[in-house]
Amino acid sequence: MTAPRLLIVGPQGSGKGTQGVLVASAFDVPVVSTGDIFRANIAQGTELGRKVQAITDAGNLVPDEVTSEIVRDRLAQDDAAEGFLLDGYPRNAAQVRDLDAFLSDRGEQLDAVILLDVPREESIARIAKRAAEQGRSDDTEEAISKRLDIYESETAPILDVYGERGIVDRIDGVGSLDEITARIFDALEARGIVRVAA
Ligand code: AMP
């Protein structure tokens, strides 16, 4: 098959960033992570970075128009023409509509949505560990709980939309890194999304 168009979804601390990179490289598609794009812009002090820093530090969502335009530009680049793995976008219903509109203009749609299922307590424990290791400026207690609240109220509902399309693979996100990666590959394989031979 041609390269897949994938989305990975999960609460902060679910390991979606790590798994996203592994899965994307196995399928030889780029990872498009809005969180990484915002962090890179903040680190480089760009105009966008200055605009979004206070929002991301508080754990709030950057406005949809800004975020959707960034994703649209990124997906228009050559390396995403055949396939991609989205991480952290879409995150609410309006962004699902923006992505649908963009993909349907290209005659495309998502092939699968990987949901990494991790209980809230486990997410919090993992983010606390990451905060100690990496010192991310949005890993304060207040911002973490804000991000988890937004995930539950705005992001989790988008899974109903994709669920109705029959493209959601719910993956148990508790286990070793390798176990979880294997679960993802098994689920995708069951859809006929098969890895390029290594
Ligand atoms: P993440 O690394 O995915 O947790 O993203 C870090 C921060 O970037 C989030 O807390 C938001 O402030 C912002 N962000 C990332 N993706 C989005 C999105 N799709 N919509 C709005 N804000 C986003």
Side-chain angles (χ1 to χ4, degrees), residues 12 16 34-35 38-39 55-56 60-62 67 88-89 91 95 136 138 147:
Q12 285 69 31
K16 74 182 164 61
T34 41
F38 291 136
R39 277 185 290 280
I55 302 175
T56 60
N60 286 314
L61 292 187
V62 173
T67 310
Y89 178 96
R91 233 169 167 102
Q95 294 181 8
R136 247 173 73 163
D138 61 348
R147 279 170 18 234

Side-chain angles (χ1 to χ4, degrees), residues 163-178:
E164 278 166 22
R165 299 181 196 173
I167 56 170
V168 176
D169 287 317
R170 184 179 289 269
I171 306 292
D172 177 2
V174 180
S176 74
L177 190 113
D178 290 348

Side-chain angles (χ1 to χ4, degrees), residues 39 42 52-60 62 136-140 142-144 146-147:
R39 277 185 290 280
I42 291 167
V52 302
Q53 175 146 34
I55 302 175
T56 60
D57 277 355
N60 286 314
V62 173
R136 247 173 73 163
S137 63
D138 61 348
D139 276 347
T140 61
E142 225 176 285
I144 291 168
K146 179 88 194 179
R147 279 170 18 234

Side-chain angles (χ1 to χ4, degrees), residues 13 119-131 144 148:
R120 189 174 170 116
E121 314 76 65
E122 172 92 15
S123 300
I124 292 174
R126 291 189 197 174
I127 306 175
K129 189 162 170 268
R130 183 177 72 191
I144 291 168
L148 286 171

Side-chain angles (χ1 to χ4, degrees), residues 48-72:
L48 172 68
R50 286 194 298 277
K51 196 150 97 183
V52 302
Q53 175 146 34
I55 302 175
T56 60
D57 277 355
N60 286 314
L61 292 187
V62 173
D64 296 332
E65 311 80 65
V66 175
T67 310
S68 288
E69 194 184 323
I70 286 169
V71 174
R72 175 181 281 261

